[in-house]
Amino acid sequence: MLDAPGATTRAARSARSALAVCVSVSLPALVMLGLGLWGLDRGGMWRDEAVTFQVARRTVPQIWRLLHGVDAVHGLYYLLMHAVLGVRSGEVVLRLPSVCAAALTAGLVAGLGTRLVRPRVGLWAGLLYAITPIAGHYAQEGRSYALVAAGATGATLLFVGAVRSGSWRAYGVVLGLTCWLHEFAVLLLLAHAVSLALARVGARVWRGWGCTAGAVGVALVPMVLVSRAQSAQVAWLREPTWTTAGGLLRTFLGPTDGVYWACLGLAVVGLVGLVGRRGEVTCAGVALPSAVLPPAVLMLVSQVSPLYVDRYVLYALSGAPLLVAAGAERVAGVAGRLWSAGRPQRHPRPAPPPKTGPRAGSFLLPLTGVLLIALALSHQLPLLRGDRDPGRRPDDLAVVARVAGRQVRDGDSVLFMPAQTRNAALAYPGAFRGVRDVALAESGAGSGSLYGREVGAETLLRRMAGLDRVWVVADRDLLAGHWRPGSPVERAKLAVLAERFVPGEESVQGDVTVRLYVRRPAVSGSSRPLPAPPRPARW
């Protein structure tokens, strides 16, 4: 029995729709994957990546012990990376989970645009996310932020589905795990609450979302309690300013002027659909709160207790390309209507028979958008290329390790100032093999700390008294006196170097100095004692 013509047409239309959805989701993911893999092996880790590398290679009990004293906020990520690096240890493998997470995020952004508007909007939004320099930056870092962005975007996609279906379980599980990857992802709940308010949903939806949000919040309480006790880790942060907010906006929409202003204009146009029909979330109603609320709330809180860093709210980036793509869709719609209205009217012709094949015109508009995004990529390509340079990171511990490997010999003594600079030796132990770490009392793995437990000031002075020379790996600003350490041990290091040693050859690599200190020649008739260890600072 032959199928009816209408059934054949519907089947062809359904196949074209499925193909459009597949392309709109997969192409951005592939572009992001390619950009993420490009230049992934930079040949060196910076300090935060080195922490991930050395902590993840500890045993699970050692990681668990560490989290009780420091870095609890990254605990789940360290356990995940422990499994990854257990398969193969290396810098590229360290960054691969972030690359895959960024590719997944680009696909999820495309999925949101497809579900909330149409496939070509999803395609444009996903590609815009993929070419954004900040997305590429964190796609190539061995830290948790790209994974958090993937989890938050996935939770938002499940949120849209839950509003329509009423099933909130998957949304709660994904968002809960994402918050355990980084607790500031909980701010996404505020964005979703505003999205529900803009959609004017009924009490049943509010009740389902509220119960899920409450469960996520309760599950996060242990993390909050432990991380509050470790707040000294972010004591270096400062209050964000209006300049900070403007910089984040430019980062989200495009660092180069042409891309920034074009995307800003389209994002404003995309706000036209902020409030739709009652009970239905719109693209703008989801994208705007997701992009604005987490950074804005964290910046406001940081006026009282500084907590803001742009990477903590990387997941908010997903909302920006959705707004831009929605604005582009509206502009395209208006342009199409104006074009149709301006064309001369002709006598109506009989309607042609329905076609089952794709029309050439159906590809023209999406392709135009893709070409414009490719043009934006060409404008930002120098930024993406420059970001692959290890010098763009705050430091390059591999370079420090290479310098130490050339200059320091077996049996030499090394002093790390402050203790955090020991990170170079922990990440690249081969360069420091056979040296004597003067200040170290117990390793990081053994002491449940990041950089190891150091001896007290008096013990340090006794150890230094028997040395004729010592290599110092130090923060350059610390040696220059630009800041004064609060630790008595760090002040004792500075004091004994100034009193009994003179600086010799050195190599400066970024913020780190590798310098040789030689014992000061004795002065005839003078026998000055070693300085007493400094007293701890009093409040």
Side-chain angles (χ1 to χ4, degrees):
M1 181 176 178
L2 296 177
D3 292 336
T8 303
T9 303
R10 285 194 298 272
R13 189 180 299 116
S14 176
R16 289 199 304 270
S17 177
L19 178 62
V21 171
C22 181
V23 171
S24 69
V25 172
S26 59
L27 184 58
L30 289 174
V31 170
M32 183 75 259
L33 182 64
L35 291 174
L37 292 175
W38 169 36
L40 186 62
D41 187 4
R42 295 191 299 273
M45 294 179 283
W46 74 287
R47 66 187 76 137
D48 282 8
E49 287 186 309
V51 168
T52 300
F53 191 68
Q54 57 110 344
V55 169
R57 290 183 300 163
R58 299 181 186 182
T59 65
V60 172
Q62 288 172 338
I63 296 174
W64 181 250
R65 183 184 178 190
L66 169 76
L67 301 181
H68 286 77
V70 68
D71 256 4
V73 70
H74 297 299
L76 182 58
Y77 176 67
Y78 288 152
L79 292 172
L80 170 65
M81 294 308 298
H82 172 77
V84 171
L85 294 180
V87 176
R88 184 179 178 85
S89 181
E91 294 176 27
V92 172
V93 178
L94 175 72
R95 298 177 184 127
L96 275 180
S98 294
V99 174
C100 295
L104 176 61
T105 306
L108 290 170
V109 171
L112 272 169
T114 298
R115 183 156 194 172
L116 291 168
V117 190
R118 61 195 310 170
R120 68 187 179 210
V121 172
L123 175 65
W124 296 340
L127 288 174
L128 283 170
Y129 183 92
I131 70 168
T132 303
I134 191 175
H137 179 91
Y138 288 107
Q140 295 199 324
E141 279 215 346
R143 297 297 279 174
S144 65
Y145 308 110
L147 279 75
V148 175
T153 310
T156 301
L157 184 58
L158 291 169
F159 164 78
V160 172
V163 171
R164 299 175 180 178
S165 68
S167 177
W168 295 93
R169 181 174 300 174
Y171 165 75
V173 170
V174 171
L175 186 56
L177 288 174
T178 302
C179 290
W180 270 84
L181 275 174
H182 200 284
E183 60 185 334
F184 288 163
V186 75
L187 297 175
L188 194 61
L189 285 172
L190 299 177
H192 291 166
V194 172
S195 295
L196 292 179
L198 291 171
R200 297 163 295 168
V201 298
R204 181 182 63 84
V205 176
W206 275 111
R207 186 165 51 251
W209 177 83
C211 291
T212 305
V216 171
V218 170
L220 196 60
V221 167
M223 166 78 77
V224 173
L225 294 177
V226 174
S227 62
R228 278 182 60 86
Q230 300 173 1
S231 59
Q233 286 184 267
V234 293
W236 57 275
L237 295 177
R238 296 294 178 262
E239 297 85 354
T241 63
W242 284 109
T243 303
T244 308
L248 184 68
L249 180 63
R250 181 172 282 271
T251 298
F252 276 12
L253 294 178
T256 59
D257 286 340
V259 175
Y260 171 72
W261 289 111
C263 289
L264 180 60
L266 290 173
V268 171
V269 174
L271 293 176
V272 173
L274 189 62
V275 179
R277 290 183 294 180
R278 181 177 293 275
E280 290 189 7
V281 291
T282 65
C283 185
V286 171
L288 181 66
S290 296
V292 172
L293 273 176
V297 171
L298 192 58
M299 286 184 187
L300 287 174
V301 171
S302 296
Q303 302 304 314
V304 179
S305 177
L307 295 170
Y308 174 81
V309 183
D310 59 1
R311 57 182 177 265
Y312 293 171
V313 290
L314 174 69
Y315 62 87
L317 170 64
S318 301
L322 284 169
L323 276 179
V324 175
E329 173 71 9
R330 289 191 173 275
V331 169
V334 172
R337 287 192 294 272
L338 291 175
W339 170 258
S340 298
R343 296 176 64 184
Q345 298 295 322
R346 298 180 179 179
H347 295 292
R349 296 179 179 179
K355 298 180 180 180
T356 58
R359 295 171 299 167
S362 63
F363 296 108
L364 183 59
L365 188 55
L367 181 60
T368 302
V370 171
L371 291 176
L372 290 174
I373 293 171
L375 180 62
L377 173 60
S378 69
H379 275 275
Q380 299 181 151
L381 198 59
L383 295 176
L384 292 168
R385 186 184 298 112
D387 196 55
R388 273 70 184 165
D389 181 359
R392 294 297 180 94
R393 263 57 181 184
D395 51 25
D396 185 354
L397 300 187
V399 176
V400 175
R402 285 196 292 270
V403 170
R406 287 195 303 267
Q407 296 181 339
V408 182
R409 299 289 179 261
D410 287 353
D412 282 354
S413 297
V414 177
L415 186 65
F416 295 96
M417 299 173 53
Q420 290 91 319
T421 54
R422 188 175 285 109
N423 216 350
L426 295 173
Y428 300 99
F432 294 87
R433 187 174 291 113
V435 304
R436 179 192 177 197
D437 191 335
V438 180
L440 186 65
E442 189 177 6
S443 69
S447 62
S449 61
L450 287 177
Y451 309 110
R453 182 175 62 83
E454 296 196 331
V455 298
E458 292 184 0
T459 303
L460 175 69
L461 292 176
R462 285 198 300 270
R463 290 184 178 183
M464 296 286 290
L467 300 179
D468 291 326
R469 46 184 272 149
V470 59
W471 285 97
V472 174
V473 180
D475 181 290
R476 185 174 56 175
D477 289 337
L478 175 61
L479 288 183
H482 294 162
W483 62 279
R484 180 174 174 79
S487 165
V489 177
E490 300 297 344
R491 295 202 301 273
K493 295 175 186 177
L494 285 172
V496 71
L497 287 177
E499 179 71 16
R500 289 299 189 187
F501 292 85
V502 293
E505 59 180 291
E506 71 171 335
S507 296
V508 178
Q509 300 297 331
D511 294 335
V512 179
T513 294
V514 180
R515 181 185 294 175
L516 175 65
Y517 277 80
V518 181
R519 178 165 293 278
R520 189 185 301 275
V523 180
S524 178
S526 172
S527 59
R528 291 182 294 177
L530 282 170
R535 295 180 179 276
R538 298 182 180 274
W539 294 99

